[in-house]
Amino acid sequence: MQFTEQQKQLINLHYIHPVPYNKFQLLVQENSFLDGMEAYSSDYLKQLLGLSEEKAVRFKEQYMEVSKLPLIDLLQQINCTPIPYFHPDYPEELKQLCDPPAVLYVKGNQSLLKKRLRVGIIGSRKATVYSKKALDFIVPPLVDQKIPIVSGLAAGADTMAHQAAMHFGGDTIGVLGHGFSYMYPKKNERIAQEMAENHLLVTEYPPYIPPAKWTFPMRNRIISGLSSAIVITESVERSGTMITVEHALDHGKEIFAVPGAIDSPLSAGPNKLLDEGAKPLWSGFQIIDLLQ
């Protein structure tokens, strides 16, 4: 992959200041090519990036260090490819977000980001066998149409969605809430490795960023942004799953929910969405009919 000097600079900046692209917009408006940054004073960087005085001083020090490194080569040595906002391979769908990732870090089959249709499947970390059974009806028709499955590689429904896609011979994209030097949950290391080799892992965080409580809600907007439609299997009424749904609704995505038993707490989320206008789902063909 080739990079312009502008793209390389954004990768350098994001590596030391991993925030969404909108946080760099003042800087880009002032200096669209992001050149000559070494001449900027810490006071000016404080103004352009909204940093505290202490962070602005540290930012300038780190920038001077990182700009001397072959950063892209170092990332590629761990099979990590950065895709900056300005790059033609950056997904156009993510540019519709109010806070798109400034850089995506990916491992695996990048062509999955070029697919016209992708379907996000999400749900509770405590999802039951009911979610697995539902996926047996939902995923195969999507796989037959070469539609990748997007999810967050969390425990429960996310893991089931990735596994179903692979089991039925399809493609899947895992959106992580941390950098590639970490894996959360730890028990998903094997499936993550398989996806990095044969499917696709995506994150907006440089490799050194660990999982944190705030990174996972941020991750959810990328799942929504990459998906043409969102499917919810099981979920409580208030959860990270519902945050993803809110992002999807904000951007006009189709929402499908698997109806559940009225005595199950994990049916509260999907059933509430159905009451609010989500489409009931029992077959992947319903998604295909609507999207195509």
Side-chain angles (χ1 to χ4, degrees), residues 162-222:
H162 295 305
Q163 288 175 329
M166 291 187 286
H167 174 73
F168 291 109
D171 295 311
T172 188
I173 300 172
V175 184
L176 306 181
H178 48 77
F180 287 132
S181 294
Y182 299 87
M183 187 59 233
Y184 182 85
K186 196 78 173 173
K187 64 182 180 181
N188 274 357
E189 279 187 341
R190 185 195 61 77
I191 186 174
Q193 182 177 356
E194 183 178 352
M195 290 174 65
E197 292 173 359
N198 301 307
H199 300 273
L200 184 65
L201 295 180
V202 175
T203 180
E204 67 177 315
Y205 300 109
Y208 66 88
I209 297 292
K213 189 174 181 179
W214 59 271
T215 59
F216 292 100
M218 290 293 287
R219 175 271 313 267
N220 292 342
R221 80 195 195 288
I222 301 178

Side-chain angles (χ1 to χ4, degrees), residues 194-257:
E194 183 178 352
M195 290 174 65
E197 292 173 359
N198 301 307
H199 300 273
L200 184 65
L201 295 180
V202 175
T203 180
E204 67 177 315
Y205 300 109
Y208 66 88
I209 297 292
K213 189 174 181 179
W214 59 271
T215 59
F216 292 100
M218 290 293 287
R219 175 271 313 267
N220 292 342
R221 80 195 195 288
I222 301 178
I223 296 174
S224 168
L226 289 176
S227 302
S228 308
I230 293 289
V231 174
I232 298 88
T233 59
E234 293 178 288
S235 172
V236 295
E237 192 168 335
R238 295 176 181 273
S239 66
T241 298
M242 294 304 156
I243 294 174
T244 309
V245 170
E246 289 171 9
H247 283 298
L249 289 171
D250 287 344
H251 295 92
K253 304 296 176 72
E254 297 290 350
I255 307 297
F256 294 87

Side-chain angles (χ1 to χ4, degrees), residues 78-209:
I78 58 170
N79 297 318
C80 171
T81 300
I83 307 178
Y85 183 88
F86 306 125
H87 198 279
D89 287 348
Y90 187 95
E92 286 296 322
E93 303 95 322
L94 295 184
K95 292 185 178 181
Q96 307 309 311
L97 301 175
C98 63
D99 54 353
V103 177
L104 286 179
Y105 301 85
V106 304
K107 283 189 176 187
N109 182 5
Q110 296 174 45
S111 70
L112 298 184
L113 295 176
K114 298 289 188 181
K115 293 280 189 177
R116 185 177 69 87
L117 298 176
R118 293 179 290 267
V119 172
I121 300 180
I122 56 176
S124 173
R125 285 175 168 80
K126 298 179 180 180
T128 69
V129 69
Y130 180 64
S131 284
K132 188 175 185 302
K133 289 179 178 178
L135 293 174
D136 288 344
F137 291 89
I138 295 167
V139 172
L142 301 176
V143 168
D144 288 345
Q145 295 295 314
K146 311 294 185 187
I147 297 174
I149 303 302
V150 183
S151 199
L153 205 57
D158 288 17
T159 299
M160 293 177 186
H162 295 305
Q163 288 175 329
M166 291 187 286
H167 174 73
F168 291 109
D171 295 311
T172 188
I173 300 172
V175 184
L176 306 181
H178 48 77
F180 287 132
S181 294
Y182 299 87
M183 187 59 233
Y184 182 85
K186 196 78 173 173
K187 64 182 180 181
N188 274 357
E189 279 187 341
R190 185 195 61 77
I191 186 174
Q193 182 177 356
E194 183 178 352
M195 290 174 65
E197 292 173 359
N198 301 307
H199 300 273
L200 184 65
L201 295 180
V202 175
T203 180
E204 67 177 315
Y205 300 109
Y208 66 88
I209 297 292

